[in-house]
Amino acid sequence: GSHDTMTYCLDKSSAVSVNESKLVKLLNKCLPCIVRPIIMKWSVTQVLTVTEQLEVGVRYLDFRIAHKANDPSMDLYFVHMVYTTVTVKDILWEILRWLETHPQEVVIIACRNFDGLTRRLHNHLVACIKEIFQCKLCPRNVVPTLRTMWHLGHQVIVSYEEEMELGKHCELWPPIPYWWGNKTSTRALIRYLERMKRMGRPEKFFVAGINLTENLRYILVHPFGSLKKMTLQSLPCLKIWIKQQYPGPKKKCINIIAGDFIGNNDFVKDVIELNTKI
């Protein structure tokens, strides 16, 4: 999986997300030449496009969806502090084109956050998802083994973090739990993940996030740092942790593993190779 999948195309000139703190908005307004480059350094989590991510083996896509404030259109974007240059609809079509050339592949799309989405915009988004993927959508009453999905022609599982929509559409799956450590150090993150494993894995899909998270103190102590530098420094230790994991239904088993800058350090290859332990 890729954490914050769409941050490779954040718009440098876009407004700051409505959900960001008043302090960030004020600083961005008063000192844009200083603040905007800092925001970009700590917001970008991926450099590969969605098609490139699918090509290297990513099968879980983390979509943070938003509607821009004061935008009269129905256009929806992705967001991580700032908005993306591409719309959600364009990316859904891009995924469909890839799936049509890879008929035995299955992709999980996690729709989350929904900054600024009204009931009307939720209806619009779900209608787009159903119009684009049609019978490729796997209903939540199907037990999604590969054999079953191949037989039925399903290729897409959409989890949706909005209960009201779940009740209206059988094509939407409940939110997939994401183990987010919110840690700045690799050791602390691994301790968190091991603690979550001891508590026992959820019965259905869940994500172990190996992504580090900056805070204001960390940024101030590392004025020339970036999320990419932070991530690349952590990868050797996380690589060891990944190789020690086991997939499967047992209490301490792992399901989906998602990270930042997934094109680096054989991350995808290491995760996929865990399947040989089954």
Side-chain angles (χ1 to χ4, degrees):
S2 58
H3 168 251
D4 259 314
T5 301
M6 294 305 303
T7 55
Y8 64 85
C9 58
L10 292 178
D11 185 356
K12 294 177 182 177
S13 61
S14 97
V16 173
S17 164
V18 292
N19 273 13
E20 292 305 319
S21 68
K22 290 181 181 178
L23 177 60
V24 170
K25 291 178 189 173
L26 179 63
L27 290 173
N28 182 62
K29 189 174 182 180
C30 299
L31 301 165
C33 295
I34 297 171
V35 174
R36 184 50 63 110
I38 295 172
I39 287 175
M40 296 304 294
K41 282 199 305 179
W42 295 99
S43 296
V44 174
T45 68
Q46 307 295 341
V47 292
L48 300 183
T49 67
V50 73
T51 296
E52 289 169 339
Q53 291 180 37
L54 292 168
E55 284 290 338
V56 298
V58 167
R59 294 295 178 269
Y60 167 89
L61 304 173
D62 176 21
F63 282 176
R64 318 294 179 91
I65 295 172
H67 183 256
K68 293 179 180 178
N70 305 316
D71 182 355
S73 77
M74 300 280 281
D75 291 340
L76 298 174
Y77 295 84
F78 304 95
V79 67
H80 191 214
M81 293 194 77
V82 293
Y83 302 98
T84 55
T85 55
V86 299
T87 65
V88 172
K89 197 170 185 178
D90 286 342
I91 292 301
L92 296 179
W93 281 114
E94 186 175 338
I95 294 168
L96 175 67
R97 288 192 292 272
W98 188 86
L99 288 170
E100 285 176 337
T101 58
H102 299 80
Q104 286 197 306
E105 296 299 325
V106 174
V107 173
I108 299 173
I109 300 174
C111 297
R112 309 170 63 194
N113 282 41
F114 302 125
D115 291 358
L117 264 69
T118 60
R119 188 59 45 210
R120 182 166 170 251
L121 287 166
H122 273 293
N123 291 338
H124 172 66
L125 173 57
V126 175
C128 285
I129 291 170
K130 292 169 74 170
E131 174 199 353
I132 291 168
F133 294 119
Q134 299 185 24
C135 62
K136 290 187 184 297
L137 288 171
C138 179
R140 62 178 176 268
N141 64 341
V142 172
V143 178
T145 65
L146 285 174
R147 185 177 286 108
T148 300
M149 294 188 74
W150 291 338
H151 176 69
L152 297 173
H154 300 322
Q155 289 185 268
V156 183
I157 291 172
V158 176
S159 81
Y160 206 87
E161 278 192 1
E162 176 57 50
E163 280 191 27
M164 196 171 290
E165 297 304 318
L166 290 176
K168 294 188 289 186
H169 305 280
C170 66
E171 298 88 351
L172 301 179
W173 288 60
I176 294 175
Y178 193 107
W179 290 357
W180 176 50
N182 194 18
K183 306 295 182 185
T184 58
S185 84
T186 313
R187 286 184 180 181
L189 176 60
I190 290 173
R191 283 197 300 270
Y192 163 80
L193 292 170
E194 287 299 315
R195 186 170 70 251
M196 295 299 288
K197 281 170 59 183
R198 286 194 297 272
M199 292 168 62
R201 59 154 291 170
E203 289 183 7
K204 299 184 180 180
F205 294 119
F206 74 99
V207 184
I210 63 161
N211 49 291
L212 294 174
T213 306
E214 82 289 348
N215 54 35
L216 182 58
R217 182 177 179 277
Y218 188 92
I219 293 172
L220 293 174
V221 172
H222 301 82
F224 301 107
S226 67
L227 192 55
K228 187 168 187 178
K229 286 182 183 177
M230 187 184 190
T231 299
L232 296 184
Q233 288 168 2
S234 73
L235 284 179
C237 286
L238 288 169
K239 184 182 178 78
I240 295 169
W241 182 84
I242 289 170
K243 284 177 172 287
Q244 294 170 343
Q245 304 314 304
Y246 286 84
K250 294 180 181 177
K251 179 179 176 180
K252 292 187 178 181
C253 286
I254 288 295
N255 184 214
I256 300 166
I257 302 177
D260 292 334
F261 302 101
I262 50 84
N264 288 283
N265 206 30
D266 295 329
F267 163 71
V268 177
K269 175 174 161 287
D270 290 342
V271 174
I272 292 172
E273 282 183 353
L274 294 178
N275 290 307
T276 61
K277 297 182 180 182
I278 296 176

